[in-house]
């Protein structure tokens, strides 16, 4: 599905994407959160950084700082921000190769 969407983008386009992760969380707590969302009828799962990269970022050029917890994506210096385990999401901006 993701590849189909990216294929439809013109070359040079940017993709902004995020995904839930349990990489920074207690696995039991993360599992309970996923189950809670799924019980409400929402298809939902967490993915590791590697899984997320393989799913959505193959063939794209990451914009700095790359794939990071969303709270770490170009934070304002000196401003407080939540810890990765409190956010639970990876985020990235990537560019489709210019042909």
């Amino acid at each position: 599905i993701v590849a189909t969407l990216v294929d439809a983008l013109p070359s040079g386009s940017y993709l902004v994407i995020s995904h839930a992760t349990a990489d920074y969380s207690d696995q039991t707590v993360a599992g309970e959160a996923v189950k809670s969302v799924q019980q409400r009828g929402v298809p939902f799962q967490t993915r590791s950084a590697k899984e997320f990269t393989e799913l959505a970022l193959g063939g794209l050029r990451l914009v700095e700082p790359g794939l990071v917890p969303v709270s770490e994506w170009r934070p304002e210096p000196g401003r407080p921000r939540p810890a990765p385990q409190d956010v639970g999401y990876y985020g990235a901006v990537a560019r489709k190769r210019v042909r």
Side-chain angles (χ1 to χ4, degrees):
I1 293 171
V2 176
T4 300
L5 293 171
V6 171
D7 286 345
L9 294 173
S11 69
S13 294
Y14 288 89
L15 174 70
V16 177
I17 191 165
S18 64
H19 200 293
T21 186
D23 285 356
Y24 301 99
S25 302
D26 174 279
Q27 296 302 308
T28 302
V29 173
E32 290 171 5
V34 169
K35 185 178 176 181
S36 176
V37 174
Q38 290 173 340
Q39 287 174 336
R40 287 162 178 76
V42 178
F44 187 81
Q45 72 182 68
T46 59
R47 286 191 168 86
S48 67
K50 181 178 185 242
E51 292 168 330
F52 181 43
T53 298
E54 290 170 356
L55 172 74
L57 300 172
L60 300 174
R61 187 173 45 92
L62 286 172
V63 174
E64 288 297 323
L67 179 64
V68 295
V70 293
S71 58
E72 300 297 318
W73 209 91
R74 295 190 179 179
E76 291 184 40
R79 300 282 307 224
R81 59 186 177 271
Q85 63 269 23
D86 295 333
V87 175
Y89 275 80
Y90 280 119
V93 175
R95 188 169 191 203
K96 187 172 178 177
R97 300 194 190 282
V98 178
R99 295 182 188 199

